[in-house]
Structures are given as C-alpha cells and as structure tokens.
Amino acid sequence: MSLPEPLTVMITHAIASHGGPRGAILEALRMVQHAEGWVSDERVADIAALTGMTTAEIDNLATFYSHIFRKPVGRHLVMFCDGASCWMNGGDKVAEAVKARLGIGFGETTADGRFTLLNTCCVGGCDHAPAAVTGRNRRLVGPLRADTLDGLLT
Amino acid sequence: MTAAPLSGPLTGRARADRRPHSLAEWQADGGHAALGLARQQPPAAIVDMVAAAALNGRGGAGFPAAQKWRFMPAPGTIPGDGPSYLIVNGDEMEPGAFKDRLFLEALPHLVIEGAMIAAHAMHASEIIILVRDAYRIGIHAMEQAIAEVDAAGLTGRNLKIRVHASAGRYIVGEETALIEALEGKRAVPRKRPPFPAQSGLWGRPTTVNNVETIANIPGIVANGPDWFRGLSRTAEGGTKLFGVSGRVHKPQLIEAPMGTTARELIDRCGGVSGTGELLAFQPGGGASGFLGPEHLDLPLDFANVADAGSMFGTGTLIVLDTGTCPIGVIARHMRFYARESCGWCTPCREGLPWVAHIVDGLEAGTAKTADLDILHMTAGEAGPRGRSFCDLMGGAMAPLATGLHRFERQFADHAAHGCRA
C-alpha cells in the first residue's frame, strides 16, 4: 500500500518546519508509527523517497532510536520501568507477574496482538514506583502490585 | 493521576491532578506578565538579572545559567544568515528523576514564558522544546500551550516555537547528542570545542537549557534577583524541585529552598521505609555518588554536594534502607547505562556491558573476588577522565566508585557468596 495522502502532506510539512529533509526524518518516522503502529520496510522506502535520502540513512535512525518500532507491536504497549527506585519497591515481582499473566517476555507481543511488553528506564514515575507507562498517551500507572496488576492490562 | 500537592513560588500553581492551565487561566493568575516586563528591557539587563539571582542550571551540571547565555554571540557578530536557537531540554530520563514531567504536564505556560524571556535575553530566534516520548501527556500540553500563545500574538513576529517529540534513548539528553538528534542523525555526542553557542544546531549559535532552569526565569524577572537569592539557604539562588524516591513511605516531589537537607526531605516523605533505617542515598539521580547517614544534615546544593564527593545532579534523591541490597541497586544502574551508551567511544561501549556483567555476577553468586579488581580499575580509569566524548560513562562510574568504597564489606561478601539479601 502506498503512503496515505495525509501522511505525505504531514511529512512534507515537517520538512519545511524542521530545517529540511534530514531534520524531518525522525518526525516522519514518528508520524508513520503514530498512524500505523510501527515502521515497515515499505514505509522506510516511502520516507526515503519523500526526503531524498537513501533507505540506509532512514534505517540508520530507525534502528538507533529505541521507541521507533521496526516490527509490529501490540495494540497496547506496556513500558515497564526496570530502574533502581522501582526495583527497590518490588518492580521485579510485578514484572514477573505481568510476564506470567501474558505469557511473554520483554520485547515480545502476545499472539493475539493485544499487548507488547518493553522494559525501559526510567519512566519518570519514581513517586509511583513500581511504575509503567502504557497506551498511546503513555499514561503513567503505579504503584503496581503483583497480585492485582490493576490499571495496567486494561 | 494525582500526586501530593506542591507549594512554593516555582510549582505552587500546579494543580493536584496536573491538568494544565489554559492561556486565559494562566494570565488571570498573573502568568505571562514577566514576559511583558522582560521585553521592555534590553537583553543584557535580563542576563544581568539572572546572573545576580545566582541561578545554576537544573539539568545536572549546575552551570550558572547567565554565564551560559553570555556565550551566545550578539546579533551582527555572527557570520552568515540564519536563526539562533534556544533548546529546552525535556528529555528527562535519569534513573530516579521525575521532576521535569511536572513542568511539562502541569505548567506548560510557565515553561513557555520562561523560554520566551530567555530567547529575548540571548537573542535566540527559535525555541525548540524537546520532550521524551514517554512524556506524551507533556508533549500534548506543551503543543496546546504553544498554539494558544501563538494565536494570542504573544510569540511576536520574530520568534518561532515548536515541540520536538523525541524517540527514545537516554543519550539524547546530552546537549550535543540532542543537537545531533535534531539534525536527523544518531544521537552521538559531539567533541567540544566548538561549544553549542559557537556552533550548535545546523552550525548556528545554540543554547540548551533544562526545563526547570527555564521555569525559574519568569519568577526572577517578576520579583527580582534579591527575592530569588532570598529563597535559598545557600549562595545558590532559588528553590529547587527536589524528588525523593526509593525506600521512603511517601515518595514525592518537594519544592524547597536550595540548601534543604536530606533529613528534612526524607522526613516530609514519612521517613525511611522498610527497616526504617537509612543505608545510603544518591542525592542527584542514578549518576550521582552515594552519600550516607553522615550527610543527612548537609545543605543540598551543587557546591556542597560536590564537596561531599557526590553530585547534586537533578536533585532527585534515591533512598536506600538497610534492608536494600546496594549491589542490587548498582546492578540496575549499570544495566541501564550499559544499555543506553550510544556506542561511539570504546571505554563506554565495551566497558559498561562488562561492568554490568560483573555486577550481575556478584548478585547471582558467579563472580570471583578478582572481579572486584576489574571494577576498581574501570571505576578509576574510565571515569571522568576516560577520554570519552561525553560523561555518560563518567556518570555511570559514580555510583560504582562510591559504592565500592562505601559498601566494601557487601561487595566482598557478594564475591564470596552472591546476594544473601
């Protein structure tokens, strides 16, 4: 499927407002991911065509930045803090409970395509440790409890 | 999500539910008045005011804000045409740091007002507010607030403001790596000199300031430098948005005078949790060295914490009770810094995973006593003078080096038996 017209317009606009094609690459990757959930090889080629860069230059960035996804992710993304403040307050136990409940590990997606689990640090929610961010808005949830996982998988 | 209410001249206007103010609400509360005052004065007068206020940058290094601004060339002295940039750094990702989230989510107009005043002071024509991906609520709040000030004509004809939503990686918070990211490259730090004020974004004069630094500017302009210095208990001006997390009963953000002690902050969090007894604390996030119970009454500011052998950093304390294994805390930090190295400089790219592997081994009981020598060697030789382009590895070595000293007995015990906590 070719790049949808609204994305073409937005990326073209980003090239004008972000100091040219190179400055707009990350923005373009983000826009594609926002619309489609991840960045496929086809979209890398689309962005390359729009910005006048090579696909290698686009992928060079896409593979460096950890929140650009080069394979499909679940509809619900759960980013779990594995930092010290969360760990001290039982973060490991909560992480194990989430993994057991979903039957997947960090970096994996459930077979039904609902959830993807990622470990990250720090989510800036140390006052809610152990904490995670979830969903399109990266909503902060915590303090999490291993026995309920309230608010995390909804 | 609600949090403990804040009070103080910097954050007191933040709502408990962190819902941001509309422009009308903000102006009704006196917001954006300092912008008008600032624009009636020559830029140099604003810089002088910030210098007299003794405002040190709140991003971690504590460099005097006005001095950084003075590195920016005056208009007419810059070769070539093009913008000068103020970049507001909202890439908060230091382990234990959760302070800038508040400004971005709950006080976007304060950040914008401070940024517009700072841009006036340093002759910047474009403001870019870079925010990490995990702070999307903050991204939305900032974008909304920018749209409002633009529509109201507050921005002025010669100033552009936009938000740049980042795409992950801790290293983006390093100011020259951040510039690389904005130029559409891998976020690899640049060798200095030239410094960003000489050659920054797209080769143009650039200043990178932390969100909290910028948020302090309207108050200084509105109330004067004497007022700002008077807020502090030490020679460094202002209040500080402290954060306390880890093993305390009520982890939270606390705005308090610069020079407030760890004892006071921990008390306000309901005291140490777990055993109730303090083992140690990191005063400024994951990359700051451990301090101990003997430092509970140290007035916390950049100079005093440096004198005590640590770093004030982000002013966000990580507290360990005596029931917490310090090797476990160090292991989480080492994994984080190893994962987040950009990979450019060899000591950091190769050294940090090796260190993380050894500390993990200490926890698992697979390490040997000789491994401690490797940790000592790495902490000593690859620290601040490790000849890396940036200080990611130097920062990572701070908890390890101070931990090896402070927790010598625990390290030896782990080398012999693994973690018995």
Side-chain angles (χ1 to χ4, degrees):
Chain A
M1 193 182 78
S2 61
L3 192 68
E5 180 65 18
L7 274 174
T8 307
V9 171
M10 283 161 68
I11 293 171
T12 307
H13 179 77
I15 293 171
S17 63
H18 283 62
R22 180 169 277 285
I25 297 173
L26 272 174
E27 195 63 11
L29 288 166
R30 226 173 47 81
M31 287 167 173
V32 165
Q33 184 164 295
H34 194 73
E36 303 185 349
W38 66 297
V39 181
S40 64
D41 287 349
E42 189 185 350
R43 291 292 173 257
V44 168
D46 291 335
I47 294 171
L50 269 177
T51 55
M53 307 270 171
T54 64
T55 53
E57 284 171 300
I58 308 300
D59 219 10
N60 181 41
L61 293 190
T63 55
F64 181 85
Y65 291 94
S66 50
H67 289 193
I68 300 294
F69 305 128
R70 285 287 278 118
K71 60 181 185 181
V73 294
R75 291 193 297 284
H76 303 280
L77 192 65
V78 180
M79 295 169 133
F80 221 90
C81 178
D82 60 4
S85 287
C86 285
W87 173 75
M88 273 187 265
N89 287 295
D92 275 9
K93 289 190 191 74
V94 178
E96 289 312 313
V98 175
K99 287 184 202 170
R101 173 87 69 93
L102 297 178
I104 56 172
F106 285 132
E108 295 178 354
T109 300
T110 53
D112 61 4
R114 281 188 73 197
F115 292 101
T116 294
L117 270 187
L118 293 175
N119 54 325
T120 181
C121 174
C122 152
V123 299
C126 316
D127 47 349
H128 295 90
V133 294
T134 178
R136 263 176 109 80
N137 262 336
R138 305 288 189 259
R139 181 173 57 91
L140 178 66
V141 282
L144 294 163
R145 287 174 45 133
D147 54 347
T148 66
L149 301 177
D150 281 348
L152 188 65
L153 303 179
T154 50
Chain B
M1 176 168 284
T2 56
L6 284 149
S7 62
L10 181 62
T11 62
R13 282 176 285 179
R15 292 167 169 148
D17 64 1
R18 298 206 172 175
R19 193 167 45 86
H21 302 77
S22 68
L23 175 61
E25 290 168 337
W26 190 249
Q27 286 177 313
D29 203 16
H32 292 300
L35 177 66
L37 287 173
R39 284 180 173 163
Q40 289 163 17
Q41 300 178 57
I46 306 297
V47 180
D48 289 344
M49 203 183 285
V50 172
L55 171 67
N56 287 341
R58 304 296 201 234
F63 194 80
Q67 204 174 323
K68 200 172 197 181
W69 294 1
R70 285 188 174 126
F71 293 146
M72 289 287 272
T77 66
I78 312 163
D81 290 328
S84 296
Y85 296 97
L86 163 63
I87 300 170
V88 182
N89 188 349
D91 195 52
E92 175 171 77
M93 221 180 292
E94 189 68 39
F98 53 104
K99 66 183 182 69
D100 293 336
R101 186 192 264 274
L102 176 91
F103 296 106
L104 298 165
E105 291 182 358
L107 298 165
H109 278 290
L110 181 66
V111 176
I112 291 174
E113 183 176 11
M116 290 196 290
I117 296 169
H120 171 66
M122 70 178 83
H123 310 284
S125 54
E126 194 165 334
I127 299 168
I128 300 171
I129 299 167
L130 183 136
V131 185
R132 67 178 290 197
D133 177 63
Y135 287 2
R136 287 202 185 162
I137 294 165
I139 291 170
H140 296 155
M142 291 305 310
E143 284 176 340
Q144 172 69 26
I146 289 170
E148 286 177 331
V149 296
D150 270 345
L154 285 171
T155 320
R157 265 176 308 166
N158 300 318
L159 185 63
K160 283 198 250 180
I161 314 180
R162 68 177 169 90
V163 172
H164 177 93
S166 192
R169 296 306 288 266
Y170 169 76
I171 194 62
V172 174
E174 199 280 338
E175 66 175 15
T176 60
L178 184 154
I179 289 168
E180 292 283 296
L182 288 174
E183 290 187 0
K185 300 176 195 157
R186 290 184 162 222
V188 172
R190 293 177 179 176
K191 187 80 177 155
R192 282 159 288 200
F195 291 91
Q198 303 161 274
S199 178
L201 182 60
W202 309 114
R204 304 294 304 169
T206 302
T207 287
V208 182
N209 282 142
N210 170 258
V211 167
E212 186 185 356
T213 311
I214 288 297
N216 272 294
I217 304 302
I220 293 172
V221 169
N223 303 300
D226 292 342
W227 168 83
F228 191 76
R229 277 207 323 277
L231 296 173
S232 167
R233 297 183 195 163
T234 73
E236 298 174 18
T239 58
K240 174 79 187 77
L241 184 55
F242 292 92
V244 186
S245 74
R247 299 298 278 165
V248 291
H249 284 290
K250 285 176 277 183
Q252 59 186 289
L253 292 171
I254 299 168
E255 181 182 344
M258 195 65 105
T260 300
T261 66
R263 184 187 303 281
E264 293 170 88
L265 295 169
I266 292 170
D267 280 352
R268 282 180 61 177
C269 294
V272 175
S273 61
T275 63
E277 200 183 327
L278 181 75
L279 174 70
F281 66 99
Q282 292 179 274
S288 60
F290 287 99
L291 297 177
E294 70 276 22
H295 297 109
L296 274 171
D297 295 311
L298 179 75
L300 297 172
D301 74 1
F302 289 98
N304 287 333
V305 177
D307 284 349
S310 182
M311 182 184 76
F312 188 47
T314 49
T316 42
L317 281 64
I318 302 174
V319 175
L320 284 66
D321 72 319
T322 50
T324 294
C325 173
I327 314 298
V329 170
I330 292 168
R332 268 77 207 162
H333 288 331
M334 295 306 109
R335 285 185 204 170
F336 169 76
Y337 293 110
R339 184 168 75 204
E340 295 298 340
S341 169
C342 79
W344 183 257
C345 305
T346 308
C348 181
R349 180 186 64 242
E350 303 294 327
L352 284 176
W354 189 235
V355 166
H357 175 75
I358 290 175
V359 180
D360 280 348
L362 286 168
E363 215 182 0
T366 57
K368 301 181 181 70
T369 302
D371 285 333
L372 297 181
D373 297 336
I374 298 175
L375 295 184
H376 277 286
M377 182 198 76
T378 315
E381 292 182 9
R385 277 183 282 277
R387 299 186 182 237
S388 296
F389 273 24
C390 81
D391 206 26
L392 185 144
M393 187 174 194
M397 290 299 98
L400 179 66
T402 54
L404 281 166
H405 179 67
R406 181 170 289 277
F407 309 121
E408 189 178 0
R409 183 180 53 77
Q410 290 95 324
F411 268 98
D413 189 63
H414 277 67
H417 307 289
C419 187
R420 296 195 282 187

